[in-house]
Amino acid sequence: MTDRIVSWHPNPSKPKFTPPPGAVDAHCHVFGPMAQFPFSAKAKYLPEDAGPDKLFALRDYLGFSKNVIVQASCHGTDNSATLDAIAKSNGNARGVAVVDPAISEAELAKLHEGGMRGIRFNFLKRLVDDAPKDKFLEVSRRLPKGWHVVIYFEADILEELRPFMDAIPVPLVVDHMGRPDVTQGPDGADMRAFRALLDSRSDIHFKPTCPDRLDGNGDPWNAFAEAVAPLVADYSDRCIWGTDWPHPNMQDNTPDDGHLVDMIPRIAPTVELQRKLLIDNPNALYWAD
């Protein structure tokens, strides 16, 4: 694997929607720079550099104030690139790490000092070779106070994962709602199953994100808006939003980040919902201290 890929829009449009002051882009990533932070030998893709300078310039352009930087799978369990971006954010970024389950308490404490506030478990087989549930559970019991677990999976394995998620002793955040088929509509089987998960415990948050990944009908992603708006309305205290920039593996269907931001008022049409989605909920998870 030698060809490096670009998965982000070279010239995103300016959003029509203006995020409220203090808004958080609560799901984004950094890639490299590779010369300073080499990619994992196990990486399933080799991206061009998309470092903190680009991320923070986009944040300002789109009208956001803070970022939550999620460790990208291409960097494996070496969180150096994410920690570097957090350190360069002037306090305006926090992060989610990917760790070896055997990580020590001292190493977890260093991650906390560096701005991490959670760890991510990835169950997408096309991105990771091994997802040991028993080891994941063990490390989830040793997390620093106030941390949570971010989990990424596809809808077809939700029921299989339910016992595992039930056993995690800290709050959960589900990436991209567990990738439901939004074309089924708000009452489709995937969305009903996801609502059942949310109803099973009150400390599960979710990200109503990535219409570009979930709505095969394409921009303006009307099926996504129709399916997701009722979920945000019904679980307004448990949702956080992010761009997913630089959109890993989306090089063949690169979304316009301005259009992604303009999805916000379609799934959160009131000022109150927008404040919860973009300010209150992410700050409670990532800046409680």
Side-chain angles (χ1 to χ4, degrees):
M1 185 171 58
T2 57
D3 293 335
R4 301 183 68 184
I5 58 176
V6 174
S7 53
W8 59 92
H9 199 290
N11 188 29
S13 62
K14 189 75 172 177
K16 297 180 179 68
F17 172 72
T18 301
V24 181
D25 176 353
H27 186 94
C28 53
H29 314 276
V30 289
F31 299 154
M34 187 171 73
Q36 185 177 1
F37 305 109
F39 299 111
S40 169
K42 298 180 181 179
K44 305 295 186 182
Y45 59 97
L46 186 63
E48 288 287 356
D49 292 343
D53 290 348
K54 288 182 180 179
L55 175 63
F56 299 148
L58 181 74
R59 175 199 66 198
D60 296 345
Y61 176 75
L62 296 177
F64 290 83
S65 301
K66 296 179 180 179
N67 299 96
V68 178
I69 305 171
V70 178
Q71 170 80 349
S73 65
C74 59
H75 280 293
T77 58
D78 181 348
N79 294 276
S80 300
T82 301
L83 289 166
D84 173 71
I86 295 170
K88 291 176 177 174
S89 74
N90 296 317
N92 291 320
R94 289 279 166 94
V96 174
V98 174
V99 303
D100 184 320
I103 189 171
S104 68
E105 274 73 10
E107 291 171 306
L108 284 168
K110 286 183 180 179
L111 291 176
H112 185 88
E113 292 169 10
M116 298 295 191
R117 291 299 180 268
I119 60 174
R120 191 189 202 201
F121 299 151
N122 190 334
F123 287 92
L124 266 61
K125 294 177 182 177
R126 59 183 169 79
L127 295 178
V128 293
D129 294 322
D130 188 30
K133 295 176 187 174
D134 55 339
K135 295 178 180 178
F136 284 170
L137 281 178
E138 193 279 328
V139 71
S140 72
R141 300 184 184 109
R142 299 189 290 110
L143 296 177
K145 183 179 180 182
W147 279 37
H148 59 271
V149 163
V150 175
I151 186 167
Y152 190 25
F153 58 87
E154 295 180 307
D156 62 344
I157 65 167
L158 171 55
E159 288 308 309
E160 173 191 333
L161 287 177
R162 282 291 301 269
F164 167 74
M165 288 190 280
D166 291 345
I168 292 175
V170 296
L172 283 168
V173 178
V174 181
D175 277 347
H176 319 319
M177 303 169 291
R179 297 182 66 103
D181 180 356
V182 296
T183 65
Q184 297 173 351
D187 300 314
D190 285 358
M191 201 61 83
R192 290 200 309 272
F194 188 66
R195 283 174 173 265
L197 173 68
L198 294 176
D199 291 340
S200 71
R201 50 190 283 187
S202 61
D203 61 348
I204 300 178
H205 289 69
F206 65 96
K207 299 173 185 174
T209 46
C210 290
D212 49 305
R213 295 184 188 275
L214 303 182
D215 188 346
N217 296 323
D219 192 347
W221 309 301
N222 293 326
F224 180 94
E226 180 182 357
V228 173
L231 192 72
V232 172
D234 291 344
Y235 300 91
S236 61
D237 293 324
R238 296 159 64 180
C239 50
I240 62 176
W241 187 90
T243 58
D244 190 41
W245 189 91
H247 315 292
N249 294 298
M250 294 299 288
Q251 62 272 13
D252 296 327
N253 188 25
T254 307
D256 183 324
D257 298 281
H259 294 181
L260 292 173
V261 174
D262 284 334
M263 178 59 70
I264 292 171
R266 299 177 67 192
I267 61 171
T270 70
V271 170
E272 180 183 9
L273 286 173
Q274 291 161 14
R275 189 191 72 244
K276 289 182 176 182
L277 178 70
L278 301 174
I279 300 174
D280 295 350
N281 299 341
N283 275 287
L285 279 169
Y286 292 99
W287 280 272
D289 55 349

